[in-house]
């Protein structure tokens, strides 16, 4: 069965970076893109970007360009999302979500979503 | 940046029909997808390509599209359907994903 298992909750100081991992299993890793979606407490879902695990190419939402980096490790079937220069507004649950390799963006499997708290 | 617009809340009684709309300029060109999210849980895909119901989703969930608006309809609403619902699509280029602001469905 498809599983996306993410790293645990984090508490970070303002200005620090955070790196969240997402380990995929139950399917062929390079045959699906991986998206990152975040949700601030009590707020809606926000698309952050996508990585193609096959070639490593990425597309980032304009809001996060320059601050987010998505990478992958095909030897461990893991994708990573690093967000730098954290501020309090980045406090959110960060989900990885599987999407098609080609065609429409939509998400059929989601990770459990760790909470990243930014606080001094 | 591209936006999808949903009503913040919809309220229905059990057994009634709930309709949740989502509007966006690129929806005639890009399919919409709907997710149900209950407190403390990850979202679950409940409607695909405007009107295709994924496996395992009850038949009371249906979807439709007309111009720049898509609609998720829940017929015979049950108390277990109380949740937040999000529409999702892509911008006209297909390169950037976008979510609507979410609609809280209350079953009273």
């Amino acid at each position: 069965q498809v599983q996306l298992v993410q790293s645990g909750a984090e508490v970070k100081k303002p200005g620090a970076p955070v790196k969240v991992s997402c380990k995929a299993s139950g399917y062929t890793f390079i045959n699906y893109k991986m998206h990152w979606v975040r949700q601030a407490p009590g707020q809606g879902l926000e698309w952050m970007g996508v990585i193609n695990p096959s070639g490593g190419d990425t597309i980032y939402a304009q809001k996060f360009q320059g601050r987010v980096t998505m990478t992958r490790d095909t030897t461990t079937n893991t994708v990573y999302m690093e967000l730098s220069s954290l501020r309090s507004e980045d406090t959110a649950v960060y989900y990885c979500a599987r999407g098609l390799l080609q065609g429409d963006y939509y998400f059929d499997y989601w990770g459990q979503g760790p909470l990243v708290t930014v606080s001094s | 940046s591209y936006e999808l617009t949903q009503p913040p809340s919809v309220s229905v009684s059990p057994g009634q029909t709930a309709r949740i709309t989502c509007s966006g300029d690129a929806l005639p060109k890009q399919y919409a997808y709907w997710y149900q999210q209950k407190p403390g849980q990850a979202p679950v895909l409940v409607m695909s390509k405007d009107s295709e119901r994924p496996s395992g989703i009850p038949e009371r969930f249906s979807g439709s599209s007309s111009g720049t608006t898509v609609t998720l309809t829940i017929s015979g609403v049950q108390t277990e359907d109380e949740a937040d619902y999000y529409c999702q699509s892509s911008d006209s280029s297909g390169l950037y994903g976008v979510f609507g602001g979410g609609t809280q469905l209350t079953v009273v």
Side-chain angles (χ1 to χ4, degrees):
Chain A
Q1 72 284 19
V2 174
Q3 283 193 305
L4 302 177
V5 178
Q6 298 187 239
S7 47
E10 304 251 21
V11 179
K12 295 292 184 180
K13 300 280 190 193
V18 68
K19 192 169 186 178
V20 180
S21 67
C22 172
K23 183 173 176 59
S25 62
Y27 70 97
T28 302
F29 180 63
I30 60 172
N31 284 357
Y32 293 84
K33 290 180 178 177
M34 197 70 78
H35 298 255
W36 289 87
V37 176
R38 78 175 186 179
Q39 186 172 36
Q43 303 300 309
L45 301 170
E46 182 173 31
W47 184 81
M48 298 181 68
V50 58
I51 182 168
N52 181 343
S54 179
D57 44 301
T58 55
I59 296 175
Y60 303 137
Q62 290 181 340
K63 176 178 179 177
F64 300 103
Q65 283 181 7
R67 226 167 43 100
V68 70
T69 304
M70 297 177 189
T71 56
R72 94 292 191 210
D73 183 343
T74 56
T75 65
T76 60
N77 291 354
T78 303
V79 296
Y80 301 90
M81 187 284 301
E82 183 169 21
L83 189 63
S84 63
S85 304
L86 289 172
R87 34 208 188 229
S88 59
E89 311 89 88
D90 295 317
T91 294
V93 172
Y94 287 79
Y95 294 104
C96 59
R98 192 183 80 162
L100 295 180
L101 196 60
Q102 294 183 6
D104 286 4
Y105 284 178
Y106 73 92
F107 321 118
D108 57 357
Y109 288 92
W110 296 65
Q112 81 274 19
L115 174 64
V116 175
T117 303
V118 183
S119 174
S120 55
Chain B
S1 61
Y2 180 52
E3 294 183 351
L4 296 175
T5 302
Q6 299 180 232
S9 62
V10 169
S11 182
V12 296
S13 299
Q16 290 189 327
T17 296
R19 294 180 179 85
I20 301 172
T21 59
C22 172
S23 299
D25 289 341
L27 289 178
K29 182 180 179 181
Q30 301 289 352
Y31 283 120
Y33 299 81
W34 290 91
Y35 302 85
Q36 176 193 70
Q37 186 181 36
K38 296 183 178 179
Q41 298 182 18
V44 173
L45 181 68
V46 295
M47 195 60 58
S48 182
K49 290 186 176 180
D50 295 347
S51 59
E52 294 183 4
R53 197 173 52 250
S55 174
I57 302 303
E59 290 184 6
R60 63 180 180 273
F61 287 84
S62 63
S64 61
S65 174
S66 178
T68 58
T69 299
V70 294
T71 303
L72 177 70
T73 301
I74 311 172
S75 305
V77 167
Q78 300 184 6
T79 55
E80 68 203 50
D81 300 329
E82 188 165 277
D84 293 328
Y85 290 84
Y86 294 90
C87 63
Q88 174 261 313
S89 186
S90 304
D91 71 345
S92 57
S93 73
L95 293 177
Y96 300 95
V98 62
F99 284 94
T103 299
Q104 182 177 55
L105 175 65
T106 302
V107 182
V108 291

